[in-house]
Amino acid sequence: MAGRYKSDLKWSDVTPKADWINRRQLMAGSGALALGSTAGPAVASLGAQKTDWGAGLEPNTVEEITTYNNYYEFGTDKGDPAMHAHALTTEPWSIEIDGLVDQPGSYGLEDILKSVTLEERIYRLRCVERWSMVVPWVGFELADLLAMAGVQPSAKYVAFETALRPDEMPGVSYPIIDWPYKEGLRLDEAMHPLTIMATGLYDEPMPNQNGAPIRLVVPWKYGYKSIKSVVRISLVEEQPPTAWNNYSANEYGFYSNVNPDRDHPRWSQKYERRVGGGLFAKQEPTLFMNGYADEVGSLYAGMDLIENH
Ligand code: MTE
């Protein structure tokens, strides 16, 4: 089914904070009970197609996913994005696609969503800071968007940029990184079916603090590669500069594939703490490529992944 997107309803409109509950647990526990009947106003379901991605993974709750965030444009504390990101204007929204493409231009989000199929993808998210979550994203394959623009044969990398709105983003007045937030992928990574542009989670529109209205999700890489609120995608020939790599190349490599054998210079990456597990939760071993090596390992055949961290 082609993607449906109820842009007239925002997460905050339909989900009062007191009603933040784990929909999945609710559904599982009560059979046919629909959230709409308990939460009051109609829920802006995105109608995402179910997929097998994430079978066997238990997602974190909505509350965990939307109150423990990294979105430095809104502050550096984990609770800052939930407090401040409501100021971000997400409608209308368009993405400038430029560089080595046949059809450069401004792509309206509404138009993009008319030509893609929204799927639910339940993915692990592993932050470089050693915490992790499981998130039921809603999105579509980045490859589909790139196909709309027509990637030219000389393109080797894809560069991404987040919106930069000093009036709406209190965090950008601090020169933590060189704003706007930038990320990049090699073209084959960008075209991989695991790589999605997400427009929602828990089958509802993306909360602002998670990168509304549209963000990248690359599940086998550290979370900072999954850039939020994307306004520009550029197809380029050379490896593009990226925000955290510019900040400290030894700490944050361009590839940033999750790798328990390549320690961050200031901490081990062998273990992680699942958000929501409680203060005394046992640390869990970090999985190579965050558990997605079977799918994406061949992209790095013959590469030294310590050197190319
Ligand atoms: N994108 C932007 N624009 N700004 C950010 O600060 N933080 C990154 C990534 N994308 C970040 C960003 C980091 S470090 C992580 S771990 C994930 O977003 C967190 O995504 P989440 O808040 O949805 O869990």
Side-chain angles (χ1 to χ4, degrees), residues 18-301:
D19 288 321
W20 279 356
I21 44 174
N22 187 340
R23 288 188 68 199
R24 181 161 291 263
Q25 281 166 4
L26 178 76
M27 304 295 220
S30 56
L33 177 63
L35 182 70
S37 62
T38 58
V43 167
S45 166
L46 294 175
Q49 285 183 5
K50 300 291 168 200
T51 61
D52 287 341
W53 292 109
L57 293 176
E58 180 60 33
N60 280 81
T61 64
V62 165
E63 176 141 24
E64 288 157 0
I65 295 169
T66 58
T67 59
Y68 190 93
N69 299 101
N70 276 337
Y71 197 166
Y72 276 17
E73 286 87 334
F74 296 98
T76 53
D77 285 347
K78 293 290 177 279
D80 283 340
M83 229 182 314
H84 301 299
H86 59 85
L88 182 69
T89 310
T90 57
E91 292 169 30
W93 195 271
S94 56
I95 301 180
E96 192 70 31
I97 305 186
D98 59 18
L100 303 167
V101 289
D102 296 334
Q103 324 266 4
S106 176
Y107 287 70
L109 182 55
E110 301 256 335
D111 295 331
I112 293 172
L113 290 170
K114 280 179 201 144
S115 4
V116 295
T117 302
L118 292 182
E119 290 182 0
E120 181 178 69
R121 299 282 185 105
I122 301 175
Y123 284 164
R124 272 185 287 268
L125 172 74
R126 168 52 157 92
C127 179
V128 73
E129 298 163 337
R130 287 184 293 187
W131 54 266
S132 63
M133 291 200 200
V134 173
V135 185
W137 301 111
V138 174
F140 59 91
E141 294 180 11
L142 172 59
D144 293 343
L145 179 57
L146 297 181
M148 281 179 218
V151 177
Q152 296 181 348
S154 51
K156 301 280 181 294
Y157 293 88
V158 187
F160 304 83
E161 257 179 50
T162 294
L164 177 55
R165 310 235 185 100
D167 291 348
E168 298 181 350
M169 297 172 153
V172 302
S173 52
Y174 302 92
I176 307 166
I177 56 163
D178 188 14
W179 312 106
Y181 196 103
K182 296 178 205 64
E183 260 308 335
L185 295 172
R186 223 171 52 190
L187 184 61
D188 57 347
E189 298 175 321
M191 300 295 276
H192 194 279
L194 271 177
T195 304
I196 58 167
M197 296 303 291
T199 58
L201 55 85
Y202 269 112
D203 209 22
E204 293 176 32
M206 190 67 79
N208 282 12
Q209 58 266 45
N210 293 90
I214 182 163
R215 56 95 55 92
L216 181 69
V217 178
V218 195
W220 70 96
K221 295 178 179 284
Y222 291 117
Y224 61 86
K225 298 295 288 185
S226 293
I227 181 173
K228 296 178 170 182
S229 308
V230 172
V231 291
R232 181 183 295 275
I233 298 180
S234 308
L235 278 291
V236 295
E237 209 167 333
E238 306 287 334
Q239 183 177 302
T242 61
W244 287 108
N245 186 251
N246 281 351
Y247 174 90
S248 176
N250 187 35
E251 292 179 292
Y252 310 103
F254 176 80
Y255 284 94
S256 291
N257 296 320
V258 174
N259 188 349
D261 295 328
R262 201 278 173 181
D263 289 342
H264 185 281
R266 290 183 279 133
W267 57 81
S268 159
Q269 292 291 26
K270 289 206 180 329
Y271 293 92
E272 63 199 59
R273 182 182 62 84
R274 175 84 182 266
V275 170
L279 260 188
F280 303 106
K282 227 176 92 221
Q283 304 225 316
E284 293 170 24
T286 284
L287 303 173
F288 182 56
M289 303 226 175
N290 206 20
Y292 300 98
D294 284 352
E295 287 84 5
V296 296
S298 61
L299 296 178
Y300 310 101

